[in-house]
Amino acid sequence: MSAITIQRLSKTYPGAQPVHALDDIDLQVRQGEFVALLGPSGCGKSTLLNLIAGFEQPSDGELRVDGKPVAKPGPERGVVFQEAALFPWLNVWDNVVFGPQMAGKPKAEYEAHAHEMLEITGLSQFTKHLPVQLSGGMRQRVGIARVLTLGSQVLLMDEPFGALDAQTRLTMQELLLSVWSRLQKTVVFVTHDIDEAILLADTIYVMSARPGRITTRIDVPIERPRSLELTTSDVFNRLKRDIMRQIRH
Ligand SMILES: Nc1ncnc2c1ncn2[C@@H]1O[C@H](COP(=O)(O)OP(=O)(O)O)[C@@H](O)[C@H]1O
Ligand SMILES: [Mg+2]
């Protein structure tokens, strides 16, 4: 069974001037697959992600996660935005365990797991730091550690590294590759950066603007594990050229 199944999905935002944001989207995501949604600003990438997250409802068509129609947000679908919305008055540890604490889980159930997720995201030394004491990249790590601690099997990431400087962005891409290969999560990753999509994804869905449609599905023919050096290889650059051509069409 697919982790995510989307069929003939459309979304129109109502209003005096309705916005037809998505049209006739078909998409299947396998358990453990890394999918990138690639397209220009305004093509409906965030809308699609928000529908999968359950923040928005489709106007038409079908959307299922693990076979069940998505009616509302849930802990099995963790969302990472461009800015990690951390509680500024809580330290890293308290931010990361906030979800399970609020859910009334006993400490024994989440503490060891939270420590492991902080270790995986390179934050073990920073558990007592407040968000204001962290760099942008570190705050994004906390955001990732938080959804991992929630135990979400599906990670929905909306340009999570878009606000970071180029160097930090590369470090975070490497981190995400290692987290993904260790934990086997299903990832839907929104980006407008072709390099980022090729480096990270198994499958890239290229979207066109207004109304957002999927124009091309690309299986990235590059084996894993992948590292940053890959971005200078011939196969990488050929694929990048192909995608650029398709986007211009
Ligand atoms: N809540 C909303 N109400 C009305 N229009 C919206 C809303 N959210 C997004 N839109 C519009 O839908 C289109 C797609 O937006 P979005 O999904 O944010 O695109 P992207 O993430 O690819 O930049 C845009 O034209 C945007 O202005
Ligand atoms: Mg967006």
Side-chain angles (χ1 to χ4, degrees):
M1 183 166 48
S2 292
I4 303 172
T5 306
I6 296 174
Q7 284 174 314
R8 299 180 316 279
L9 178 142
S10 296
K11 175 67 179 177
T12 301
Y13 290 106
Q17 283 172 323
V19 179
H20 192 185
L22 292 174
D23 188 56
D24 201 21
I25 301 286
D26 277 296
L27 190 72
Q28 306 266 338
V29 185
R30 291 188 315 274
Q31 199 76 250
E33 187 177 21
F34 198 124
V35 162
L37 302 177
L38 176 69
S41 182
C43 74
K45 303 182 296 297
S46 295
T47 298
L48 186 48
L49 208 76
N50 289 339
L51 285 160
I52 302 171
F55 299 140
E56 296 280 353
Q57 294 301 310
S59 310
D60 207 353
E62 227 181 85
L63 165 54
R64 290 170 183 270
V65 174
D66 283 332
K68 291 187 276 298
V70 171
K72 57 182 195 323
E76 72 285 1
R77 285 160 284 133
V79 187
V80 179
F81 297 102
Q82 195 169 99
E83 301 287 343
L86 306 176
F87 297 112
W89 62 90
L90 296 181
N91 68 25
V92 167
W93 173 259
D94 290 329
N95 265 289
V96 165
V97 299
F98 186 83
Q101 260 177 4
M102 282 297 108
K105 295 235 167 94
K107 271 189 185 177
E109 227 173 82
Y110 64 80
E111 272 199 344
H113 182 55
H115 277 299
E116 191 191 343
M117 297 306 111
L118 285 163
E119 196 266 313
I120 285 182
T121 49
L123 291 167
S124 294
Q125 311 299 313
F126 302 93
T127 53
K128 297 281 186 281
H129 281 56
L130 290 169
V132 69
Q133 297 172 295
L134 304 174
S135 66
M138 302 277 281
R139 284 200 295 274
Q140 283 308 75
R141 285 172 196 249
V142 180
I144 293 169
R146 187 175 48 186
V147 296
L148 295 175
T149 297
L150 270 179
S152 311
Q153 182 50 39
V154 176
L155 301 188
L156 305 172
M157 310 186 83
D158 194 350
E159 309 206 34
F161 311 143
L164 304 175
D165 64 83
Q167 195 60 50
T168 305
R169 190 173 183 143
L170 295 176
T171 314
M172 292 300 290
Q173 290 166 349
E174 266 188 328
L175 175 90
L176 181 59
L177 280 172
S178 103
V179 165
W180 177 77
S181 71
R182 276 176 77 164
L183 301 177
Q184 321 258 292
K185 301 288 181 185
T186 305
V187 180
V188 182
F189 188 103
V190 163
T191 183
H192 59 254
D193 181 331
I194 300 176
D195 288 47
E196 185 167 67
I198 300 175
L199 175 67
L200 297 175
D202 295 315
T203 314
I204 300 173
Y205 290 89
V206 180
M207 295 177 67
S208 67
R210 276 170 194 273
R213 290 196 176 99
I214 290 170
T215 54
T216 319
R217 174 184 187 280
I218 297 158
D219 285 309
V220 179
I222 299 174
E223 58 190 37
R224 301 187 186 266
R226 298 181 189 165
S227 67
L228 291 174
E229 286 79 65
L230 180 71
T231 57
T232 57
S233 70
D234 287 345
V235 56
F236 189 96
N237 282 309
R238 265 200 304 278
L239 190 55
K240 184 172 172 181
R241 255 196 316 273
D242 281 355
I243 295 175
M244 284 170 102
R245 252 188 236 124
Q246 283 165 23
I247 285 177
R248 278 207 210 96
H249 261 262

